[in-house]
Amino acid sequence: MTLAVYAFIALALFIQAAIDIRIRRLPRQISYLVLSISAPVFIFIAVASREPHRILTAFLGALISILVFGGARRLNPRSLGAGDVHLAPLLGVSLGWWGLNALLLGMGVAFSLAALVVIGGLCTHRLKRTDSVALGPYLVGGWLVAVLVCIT
């Protein structure tokens, strides 16, 4: 059942990434719908499998993600889009399920990939300092790496 939830989340995240690449927006409706479906399923799975600690780490993952993304947006509104902040709880819950190390791995990979692409774009003059870059695909990439590491 856990794999089915992650497949559902992955499908939604890939849709979100495609939308972000195309129109530079992450629709909060998708993020919130997927979170409202997957979070109760995670709680059910944790209770049924007698692993209640997963509920706590998933909740902490969401809280940390909201604080980090929301804080970054509040400090510099141009640094992150509102859609990235709305996506944060879903990423936090689904990575926090595996533990806070999974959250750190996913976010670390996401921001490292984004930084490498931006630095490469600046060095090759394909990007200017004033250009914006869709962060959603990198967040999805980091999420995918972390989930694959945890599942295997």
Side-chain angles (χ1 to χ4, degrees):
M1 186 174 218
T2 304
L3 288 178
V5 175
Y6 277 97
F8 171 66
I9 295 170
L11 175 63
L13 289 177
F14 287 122
I15 290 169
Q16 289 274 64
I19 292 169
D20 199 18
I21 289 169
R22 185 132 196 214
I23 63 171
R24 297 279 198 268
R25 295 200 64 204
L26 288 168
R28 69 176 176 267
Q29 295 87 348
I30 296 172
S31 299
Y32 289 158
L33 175 65
V34 174
L35 180 62
S36 68
I37 293 170
S38 60
V41 175
F42 280 131
I43 292 170
F44 173 79
I45 294 169
V47 171
S49 62
R50 295 187 175 106
E51 297 179 297
H53 68 279
R54 289 188 184 268
I55 298 169
L56 177 63
T57 60
F59 174 77
L60 286 174
L63 182 64
I64 291 167
S65 295
I66 291 167
L67 291 173
V68 169
F69 281 63
R73 176 141 171 92
R74 186 160 259 225
L75 289 173
N76 183 1
R78 297 177 70 190
S79 66
L80 279 178
D84 299 315
V85 178
H86 295 297
L87 184 61
L90 175 60
L91 298 174
V93 163
S94 58
L95 292 178
W97 171 263
W98 298 104
L100 297 181
N101 286 338
L103 178 65
L104 290 173
L105 174 63
M107 294 302 131
V109 169
F111 288 110
S112 296
L113 285 173
L116 287 172
V117 169
V118 168
I119 291 168
L122 291 171
C123 290
T124 60
H125 304 289
R126 291 184 180 169
L127 287 176
K128 293 179 261 178
R129 290 183 61 228
T130 57
D131 289 343
S132 67
V133 174
L135 186 59
Y138 302 104
L139 293 173
V140 172
W143 177 88
L144 183 62
V145 168
V147 168
L148 290 175
V149 166
C150 292
I151 287 177
T152 56

